[in-house]
Amino acid sequence: MGRLHVCDHPLIQHKVTFLRDKKTETKQFRELVDEIATLMAYEATRDFPLETVRVETPVTLADGKVIAGRMVGLIPILRAGLGMVDGVLKLLPSARVGHIGLYRDEETLQPVEYYVSLPTDVTERELIVLDPMLATGGSANAAISILKGRGCRPTKLMCLIAAPEGIKAVQEAHPDIDIFVAALDSHLNDHGYIVPGLGDAGDRLYGTK
Ligand code: PRP
Ligand code: URA
């Protein structure tokens, strides 16, 4: 079973509260998503292996640790996942970025695929899927299945806010995926929205609707 990591550092909790607030306008919302993504990337890279290298300080030789050649790919689920990309790239600047376009049918709540574009060397990379919202889990599961179907190696899913229903759905469909969330909320309402949640992440990021 993939592990669930709730990244509840005080800085993350503080920023998530302002993200939820409906008075938070688009500009600040976008900045908060970016900042929380950076803080979560710090947690999500904690298991990266290190190797020892020798460097010469102005004083003497010293052994230090560096990340051991990890090749990472970031896969935002469009649209809202795009808001997390730059924040993660601040810590993983060499990562390549692929895009999966999915929207959730408002009636059925089923994900509809409309775009897939992946880096040429994507199968050689460890992939982190990005989406601020994990509601029913349909979109995340579809994105992970698309990647696996193309011979890729998704290992982590990073979301800002999750419902228990979404966590359960991903853990059942993809038990090999570690899930990182900034907040685990109460439940989904009758329209498939996370409660208390933050509303529609894409609309709040881009000022639509
Ligand atoms: C939102 C969100 C997730 C999905 C979550 O996207 O960004 O992708 O809903 O819901 P689920 O877990 O029930 O699938 P949306 O479909 O609103 O598209 P958008 O990002 O283009 O606004
Ligand atoms: N998508 C969102 O943007 N918000 C929700 O609460 C659920 C799905």
Side-chain angles (χ1 to χ4, degrees):
M1 178 70 71
R3 282 171 301 164
L4 171 64
H5 306 255
V6 181
C7 306
D8 58 358
H9 188 285
L11 286 173
I12 294 179
Q13 291 189 54
H14 176 92
K15 290 175 191 297
V16 165
T17 301
F18 289 97
L19 205 58
R20 292 187 190 280
D21 189 339
K22 69 178 187 185
K23 294 197 295 295
T24 299
E25 298 284 358
T26 301
K27 176 177 181 291
Q28 192 194 358
F29 189 90
R30 211 179 283 145
E31 290 166 357
L32 286 165
V33 170
D34 179 77
E35 290 164 3
I36 296 167
T38 304
L39 294 167
M40 289 185 71
Y42 179 79
E43 300 275 357
T45 51
R46 192 173 281 281
D47 66 342
F48 277 19
L50 295 168
E51 62 188 9
T52 303
V53 295
R54 180 155 290 183
V55 296
E56 200 175 344
T57 79
V59 180
T60 185
L61 292 176
D63 286 341
K65 304 282 187 191
V66 294
I67 306 253
R70 199 74 155 209
M71 303 225 327
V72 176
L74 306 179
I75 312 291
I77 301 178
L78 308 180
R79 286 176 300 171
L82 276 180
M84 298 172 69
V85 172
D86 286 350
V88 179
L89 282 175
K90 279 182 196 133
L91 297 192
L92 297 174
S94 305
R96 298 287 160 83
V97 182
H99 299 86
I100 295 183
L102 297 172
Y103 70 86
R104 205 169 70 143
D105 182 293
E106 284 180 14
E107 297 293 318
T108 64
L109 301 185
Q110 293 304 306
V112 181
E113 177 185 327
Y114 62 89
Y115 186 70
V116 179
S117 172
L118 301 173
T120 47
D121 61 355
V122 68
T123 55
E124 294 159 38
R125 293 177 177 267
E126 172 181 335
L127 303 181
I128 305 176
V129 176
L130 307 176
D131 195 328
M133 308 305 278
L134 182 62
T136 65
S139 303
N141 274 344
I144 295 165
S145 294
I146 289 167
L147 293 170
K148 287 182 175 175
R150 292 174 180 231
C152 304
R153 194 163 48 91
T155 58
K156 291 171 183 161
L157 169 66
M158 207 191 283
C159 302
L160 303 193
I161 304 217
E165 294 90 331
I167 300 284
K168 183 166 179 284
V170 174
Q171 285 181 329
E172 282 177 3
H174 299 289
D176 52 334
I177 300 292
D178 283 340
I179 306 172
F180 294 80
V181 302
L184 182 55
D185 277 11
S186 165
H187 63 280
L188 296 178
N189 69 16
D190 293 343
H191 304 288
Y193 273 80
I194 300 175
V195 181
L198 50 70
D200 188 301
D203 285 342
R204 295 197 63 190
L205 268 169
Y206 299 111
T208 45
K209 281 209 182 129

